[in-house]
Amino acid sequence: MKILGFNSYGHDSAAALIINNEIVFAVEEERLNRKKHAGGFPETAIRACLDYEKITIDDLDHVAFFWNPTISLSKIPVYLLKFWDKVPILLREQRSFEVEENLGMLNYLLDMYKLPKKLKGSFQAQNPKFKFHFLEHHLCHAASAFFPSPFEESAILTIDGAGEWATTLLAEGKGNNIRKIQTVNTPYSLGAFYQAVSIHLGFKLIEGPGKMMGLASYGNPDGKVYEQMKKLFRLKENGGFDFDMSYFSYHYTRKSGVSEKFTKLFGESKKEGKDWTEHELEVAAAAQHIVEDVVMHMAKHLKKVTKSNYLCMAGGVALNSVTNGIIAKSGLFKDIFIQPAAGDSGTAIGAALLLNHQKLNQSRKTQETAFLGPKYDNETCLKAIEKAGLPYRIAGDEIYNFTAEKLMQNKIIAWFQGRMEFGPRALGNRSILANPMDKDMKDILNKRVKFREAFRPFAAIVTEEDCETFFDHDYPNPYMLLVYNVREKYRSIMPSLTHVDGTVRIQTVNENENAPMKKLLKTFETLSGYPVLINTSFNIKGEPIVCTPQDAVRSFANADMDYLILNDIIVWK
């Protein structure tokens, strides 16, 4: 059984291939076409899926799509009645919506019905047999988290900007079935709220929430602004929530996420994301605190109604690793699985899994890795290096000692190994690595290499068995989706990975998940005493994470990094 899943006409388009119940390949379109958050038809990603298994479109049994346009179209009359006074603004701006923007999908609902024909034409189908399936967005998110989890039963929580109408799903998974418990519907969206506040503070669409999560640590989360913002929200007994929409505008305009009423209470919107006042930092902290409050409210309700010891999460808000860390450390659930590609790219996997398990009743397999993308041999790497005219040598296993020694000398290393990660976080195969003990390394990386805001924190990568030694929890976190506290005694030892509030986003590594990275960490430990490194994504500002050796060489050449390790090849300038 061969099933292709994909998402399109939103943001972060991707494609995934399942063969005989196993996820064999998945890749985001942005990694291949090099347009960050690309939301168009993912032709290149779909082709990469087919090429990886050396099959054609004719070999597919089913194609699963992450959206049901019929639901969206059926809700248009509801929207028109509910927001009749906003319709002129929406219609006036609609034509200029870009596909990646909020509400941009409105321009593509009818195009979705043409996707089966588009697939056959784009891939020159000769004798196609596949059945095409439109599937509900939040069920795809839920499937991406529950079906590849190790749990036979689980509470499920998916939260994002919006699906066809729902913005949040509370559900329960058992075996091959996902049962809806409760939805929160448009316009009440925790993801859209958080993004609206990030835009208010000067950040760009889509990437703003991740940046604001880091900025929030600089503000007071319990101050006057939080008390004011909290009054806008209402937590319901059924596990849902709503809030006063008169303070927001994201549901009808592209120009701003907040209304004049919001700016009168919380201050004027910023044109650029920099030079924040104490008040603006408190706005960021308040929004983060609101998200934590609402998510914990829903998690507690799910625990109450499902009585499950397990929780699965997906949707863009599930990338809020600060909130995830609070849930993990609360003890509310015995174990948590968060889809590493929790945002919309993960619905490519989710759509295929939803069809495979809930619709076709096929057996489940646990997702063991996020390394689902392409890999490249030394011949391909050498061609890219030689074309760029860079010096190199093939070092074999010497790369571990060499890299550890250079890291101890505070050199910055670009590390390119094996299959590319699927999802927004670099997990050690397309990473930039640095020494956390150098007090200036955070500023050096932000300024010299990443060309990004100075407040942005970096993640730590640590061996799984040593995590609790340096951080305040031993919960495995292979996909960098939880934030822990750095233990007090190590904050001065590892200043460049310790955020202003004493926290750090963690990735744990074991032998099965990433043997090369585990070996590098243990080699670094023999020199430094600590199996911990700074790990940030291998890309520079405005670009997606590198995919190919050509991408890696170009990014290395254009940023102030010291060495590039491509497989077992050492490259320098």
Side-chain angles (χ1 to χ4, degrees), residues 163 200 252 369:
H200 167 72
Y252 61 86
T369 182

Side-chain angles (χ1 to χ4, degrees), residues 100 111 144 165 249 253 281 292 403 432 460 469 475 505 522 542:
E100 291 85 8
D111 291 301
S144 78
W165 191 245
S249 61
T253 179
L281 294 175
E292 295 162 8
T403 302
I432 295 172
T469 301
Y475 190 87
R505 190 168 67 204
K522 297 308 284 185

Side-chain angles (χ1 to χ4, degrees), residues 257-291:
V258 299
S259 69
E260 185 178 349
K261 197 171 179 180
F262 185 97
T263 58
K264 284 182 178 178
L265 183 59
F266 297 109
E268 290 299 316
S269 297
K270 293 183 72 68
K271 293 182 178 179
E272 290 185 86
K274 62 181 182 179
D275 302 327
W276 295 275
T277 64
E278 287 297 322
H279 172 76
E280 288 164 343
L281 294 175
E282 197 165 322
V283 169
Q288 174 63 33
H289 196 169
I290 293 291
V291 168

Side-chain angles (χ1 to χ4, degrees), residues 537-556:
S537 57
F538 188 176
N539 66 313
I540 56 178
K541 186 177 181 181
E543 292 187 355
I545 295 173
V546 301
C547 175
T548 67
Q550 292 84 354
D551 299 333
V553 168
R554 183 175 60 252
S555 189
F556 174 68

Side-chain angles (χ1 to χ4, degrees), residues 470-490:
F470 306 102
F471 311 104
D472 70 342
H473 213 280
D474 65 349
Y475 190 87
N477 183 23
Y479 304 135
M480 205 188 287
L481 290 165
L482 304 175
V483 165
Y484 296 159
N485 291 302
V486 182
R487 292 198 183 278
E488 189 72 41
K489 64 183 289 188
Y490 294 110

